[in-house]
Amino acid sequence: MEEDYLASNDNELCIQVLETGGADIKTNGEDVYGGRPYNFEEVINAMGPPGRYQILQYVMMSVIYIPCVFINLSFVFIGLEPSFSCTEVNKTTLLQGFNNISKESTLYQVSFEDCQIQITSNKSGSFKRLKPIVCEKGYSYNGGKDVSIITEWDLVCESRGIGQMVQSSIALGWFIGITISSIFSDKHGRKRTLIFAVALSSITELGSAFAPNIYVMIGLRFFSGLFASGICSITFVLGAEMLVSKHRELFTLYFGFIRSFFSLILCGIGYLFIGESWRHLQVFLALCCMSPLLLIYFVDESASWLYSHGKYERATKIIKRVCRFNGVNFDRIKKVWGRLYTQEIKKLIDQKAAKDYNAIDIFRNTKLREYIFISWFTALCIDLSYFGIYLSASTLSGNMYLNIALMAILEFPGTLTTFIMLKYKGRRFVMMFFMAMAVVCFVASTVLGAAATTHTQHIAYTSTAFFLLGRFAIGNCYNTIFLYIPELFPTTLRSAGTGISFTGACLGRMIAPYMLPLHTLIPWAPGTCLIAILTASTLLLLKLPETKGRQLSSTIEIIIS
C-alpha cells in the first residue's frame, strides 16, 4: 500500500486521497520543503538513470512520431513538379487562329514551351517573335499525368500558387491544432490527447488519397496538420518529462535520430514509387501513419502531469511500474515520494483551494511574455529554414532524391554533434552557435549561387555544398529547440507554452512552400531572407535564460523565484 511509507499522522489523509484517486484534488504544484521549492523531478532522479522502462516508452513514442515526419514532408513527393511543356498540336491548325499572316507553315517556327506556345516568323531570313499563346491542349509532363497532384490537376504556370497551398494548409492546421492540443493536454492529460490526435490524423491522411479535386485535398491536409500537431508537441513533452535535466540530452539525441531515420525512410519510399500514381503513394503513407494505433495504448501518461494535477494514486502506479521494469527497489524512492506526497496533502488541507492555471497566465507574467515571444520567433525562423530548404531540394544541382537523402543522412552526425555539445555547453549556446553557422553557410551559398552560370558548374556544386552544410546547422537547431523550449515553462503550463511557441514554427511552415516560386523569380531572395531572420533570432536568444542543469519548474512561482 502506498500509505505504508507515509508519516503515521498523515495516514488518514493519504488513505482518503488514495480512495478517491486524487480525482477531486487540484494543485498548483507549489510547496516548500527544507526551505526550497520542490519539483517532481526529485522523484525521477531518485529512480536512477534511464533504464528498460524509458527505452520501451521511447521506442513506442518513436513509432507514434511517424505521422509528424510523413505528413510534414510528403509534399516533396506527392507535390512533385516534373519538367513539362505545352501539349503539341498540329502546326497548320495552330496558325489558322492567326489573322493577317501567311498560311504557309514553312515560314513559321513553333516552340512548345513550359507555359506558352511561341511562334517565330521567318521571312527572308528575318526572324520575328509573335505574341505567345496559351497552352490550348493542356500540358505534357515528364513521367505521366498522375505522378503528383501538380500533374493531375495541372497546378502549373498561373495555377502554381494553388499547389503550394496544399503544404501551407498543413501548416495552417498545425498552427491552430498545436495551440488547441497543448491546452487540451495540459487540462485533460497527455495520453488522452495523443490517442485522439493519432486516430483522426490517420483518417484524414487516408482520405487525402481519394480527394476528387485540389480543394478537397487542401481541406483534408489542413485537418491532417491540425491533428498531427498534437502528436508532435505531446510526444516531445512526454519525452522531456520522463527524464531529469542531466539526462535530457539523450532525449534530443534519440528523437533527432528518429526524425532523420524516418526522413530517410520517406525518401526511400518516394523513390520506390517513382512512376506510380501519387494516390498509391499516399495510401501507403496513410497506412504507415496508422501503425501507432497498435502501440499507443501501452504508452503511459506523464507521471509529472498526474502529480501536478493531484492524481497521486495513478502517479504512484507509474512510479512503481518504472521501478519494476528498471529493477529499482521501490524503497529507494519512498522517502522522496512520500515527502512530496504528504507535503502536498498538508498544503491542500491548509489552503482548501488551489489555483488552476491556463494559457492566459503566460501573458500575465512579464518574464513569461518575453520567453514566449522569443521562443515563438526562434521557432518561426528555424522551421522556415528547415522546411524551406527541404521543399526546395528540386532547385539544387544534382539528383533531387540524392539531395533529400543527403539532407537526412547529414542529420545523423548533426544529431550526435548536438548531443555532445549539449553535454558540455548550454542549450542557448548550442542554438546560437549553429544559427551563426547557418548564417555563414547561407551567405556563401547565396553569393556563389548568384555567381554560378552554365559554364561554371563547379561553382553551382560548391553553392549546393554550402547550402547542405547550412541545412546541417539548421537541423541541429531543430534538435535543440525541442529540448530548450519545454524547459523554459513550468509543468502546469509547459504544454501550453510549448504549443504557443510552436505556432511560430507553423507560420514558418506556411511560408516555406513559397520559397520555391520565389527562387524561380529571384534566385538570391530566399537565401537573403533566411540570413536576415536567423541573424535577428540569434541576437534575441541572448535574452533567454540558460536551462542546462536546472530542474523542470512546477509552477510560475518557482520560475519567478
Side-chain angles (χ1 to χ4, degrees), residues 181-246:
S181 62
S182 297
I183 295 173
F184 192 88
S185 70
D186 274 340
K187 186 174 181 61
H188 299 286
R190 318 304 196 205
K191 183 175 179 178
R192 183 182 299 179
T193 309
L194 200 57
I195 294 173
F196 180 79
V198 170
L200 292 180
S201 66
S202 301
I203 294 172
T204 55
E205 274 296 279
L206 186 60
S208 297
F210 302 97
N213 56 60
I214 184 60
Y215 301 105
V216 173
M217 182 69 173
I218 289 172
L220 287 170
R221 297 298 276 179
F222 166 82
F223 285 106
S224 290
L226 184 77
F227 301 127
S229 63
I231 301 173
C232 188
S233 62
I234 296 168
T235 300
F236 278 105
V237 170
L238 267 175
E241 291 180 340
M242 201 176 293
L243 301 175
V244 294
S245 177
K246 64 181 179 181

Side-chain angles (χ1 to χ4, degrees), residues 175 178-179 363 368-383 481 485 488-489 497-508 511 537 540-541 544:
F175 181 90
I178 201 167
T179 304
F363 298 97
L368 289 182
R369 278 201 307 271
E370 186 175 83
Y371 290 1
I372 205 79
F373 169 74
I374 298 175
S375 300
W376 182 90
F377 184 72
T378 302
L380 183 152
C381 297
I382 292 175
D383 268 55
I481 196 173
I485 288 182
L488 292 171
F489 301 98
T498 302
I500 295 171
S501 297
F502 285 128
T503 58
C506 300
L507 182 59
I511 302 171
S537 180
L540 282 173
L541 283 173
L544 290 182

Side-chain angles (χ1 to χ4, degrees), residues 10-79:
D10 289 316
N11 279 351
E12 184 176 350
L13 296 176
C14 297
I15 292 172
Q16 180 183 354
V17 173
L18 292 173
E19 288 175 349
T20 62
D24 299 324
I25 296 179
K26 295 182 180 180
T27 173
N28 64 3
E30 180 193 10
D31 193 12
V32 175
Y33 185 84
R36 63 179 177 83
Y38 74 81
N39 274 293
F40 183 80
E41 208 167 295
E42 294 178 29
V43 177
I44 301 176
N45 190 48
M47 288 187 287
R52 189 173 62 167
Y53 174 84
Q54 285 82 2
I55 292 173
L56 290 174
Q57 289 290 306
Y58 269 47
V59 168
M60 290 186 288
M61 284 193 291
S62 65
V63 176
I64 293 170
Y65 191 67
I66 288 176
C68 297
V69 177
F70 284 12
I71 291 174
N72 268 315
L73 303 181
S74 61
F75 182 76
V76 175
F77 306 103
I78 67 170

